[in-house]
Amino acid sequence: MNTSLTSTLSFFGHSELEITDKLKEDLKNLIIKLITQENFGVFLFGGFGKFDELAWEIVTDVKKEYPYIRRVFVLTEEKHLNRLKRPKYLLDEEFEEFVFFPLQYNGFNKRIYYRNVEMIKNSDKIIFYVKNTENSGANKTMNYAKKLKKNFINLAE
């Protein structure tokens, strides 16, 4: 049992999508492969949308077999590091850690995008579920990963 898995993975996808049994199975098999064959043990979540929820559910299920993996929620505001100031829907028992990466932009409307940018910078690999929807936040985030030449997989392809 390897309890020192150090590679970091993040998830991004559309807030609305049809979740099929095949998508669930493909994502679960990929996550297990990344843990067992590629040293991934830190999973970053931003927590918005159906794909993020699905990824969290699968990682949480897989954690039963690999209890040493870590679910990390990346906050959009530094003040939320303080548990008492954190939104009530962010439960301590659902994540091993909460982190904040300093953002390159301080405006409220684009905070999620710039948090996503920091998640990409801090990931060794990214799993996307992005269809060709040019103006979606998920697509803009995937384009940023391409720009940085990050290692990623798009399960929508």
Side-chain angles (χ1 to χ4, degrees), residues 8-10 44 118-126 150:
T8 300
L9 179 81
S10 58
L44 301 181
E118 295 306 318
M119 287 174 66
I120 288 170
K121 288 179 183 176
N122 286 278
S123 294
D124 299 300
K125 183 176 272 192
I126 302 110
K150 283 290 192 168

Side-chain angles (χ1 to χ4, degrees), residues 73-86:
F73 191 91
V74 182
L75 301 161
T76 57
E77 295 185 57
E78 188 172 19
K79 70 180 181 183
H80 293 153
L81 288 170
N82 179 334
R83 193 169 68 108
L84 298 175
K85 294 183 178 180
R86 194 174 301 145

Side-chain angles (χ1 to χ4, degrees), residues 4-28:
S4 62
L5 302 176
T6 58
S7 295
T8 300
L9 179 81
S10 58
F11 301 91
F12 298 98
H14 297 299
S15 58
E16 295 297 324
L17 71 128
E18 180 184 350
I19 296 175
T20 64
D21 289 340
K22 180 176 179 356
L23 176 58
K24 287 180 186 178
E25 182 180 337
D26 289 350
L27 184 55
K28 183 173 183 174

Side-chain angles (χ1 to χ4, degrees), residues 60-76:
T60 298
D61 185 52
V62 168
K63 188 170 175 55
K64 294 172 189 165
E65 187 171 345
Y66 306 96
Y68 43 84
I69 64 174
R70 298 182 50 76
R71 299 164 300 169
V72 177
F73 191 91
V74 182
L75 301 161
T76 57

Side-chain angles (χ1 to χ4, degrees), residues 127-152:
I127 297 177
F128 287 98
Y129 187 92
V130 177
K131 294 193 175 190
N132 191 14
T133 51
E134 193 171 308
N135 291 321
S136 76
N139 191 53
K140 289 175 184 175
T141 301
M142 188 170 72
N143 286 336
Y144 185 78
K146 288 177 183 177
K147 179 181 172 183
L148 292 186
K149 297 183 177 17
K150 283 290 192 168
N151 186 358
F152 73 89

Side-chain angles (χ1 to χ4, degrees), residues 78-119:
E78 188 172 19
K79 70 180 181 183
H80 293 153
L81 288 170
N82 179 334
R83 193 169 68 108
L84 298 175
K85 294 183 178 180
R86 194 174 301 145
K88 293 187 185 321
Y89 63 86
L90 292 175
L91 305 175
D92 287 347
E93 60 270 15
E94 292 183 350
F95 299 93
E96 282 62 57
E97 186 177 1
F98 293 88
V99 299
F100 173 77
F101 300 130
L103 305 180
Q104 299 301 315
Y105 176 85
N106 199 21
F108 182 77
N109 291 339
K110 295 185 180 182
R111 187 171 288 148
I112 291 171
Y113 172 76
Y114 283 95
R115 186 274 320 268
N116 292 349
V117 162
E118 295 306 318
M119 287 174 66

